[in-house]
Amino acid sequence: MLDVARETRQPCPECGTEIRGDSRFAIWCAACDWNVDPEEPQSDGGRWTGPSGPWPDDTGSGCSTR
């Protein structure tokens, strides 16, 4: 199914500037940056771990740096 773009218009809840957007995407206000980052920041857990833990050392996994 095709998702058809539909232009949206609304006033910014922070500064009142008219916001034009595409109904398929999150909107934000270029004048005051309202809603620039609409999701909560994700925690940086530090070192990346995959499904089975940290990256393996040279254990014959087929990847060689030599």
Side-chain angles (χ1 to χ4, degrees):
M1 178 177 177
L2 294 176
D3 194 11
V4 177
R6 189 183 80 225
E7 183 181 45
T8 60
R9 293 180 184 193
Q10 71 179 59
C12 171
E14 292 292 321
C15 71
T17 301
E18 181 182 64
I19 302 172
R20 292 182 180 195
D22 182 323
S23 62
R24 299 171 297 171
F25 304 104
I27 59 168
W28 70 91
C29 179
C32 72
D33 288 339
W34 170 81
N35 208 36
V36 165
D37 191 9
E39 294 185 20
E40 294 292 321
Q42 295 182 0
S43 172
D44 180 9
R47 183 177 173 173
W48 182 83
T49 57
S52 61
W55 285 98
D57 295 325
D58 189 354
T59 58
S61 64
C63 296
S64 176
T65 57
R66 296 181 198 140

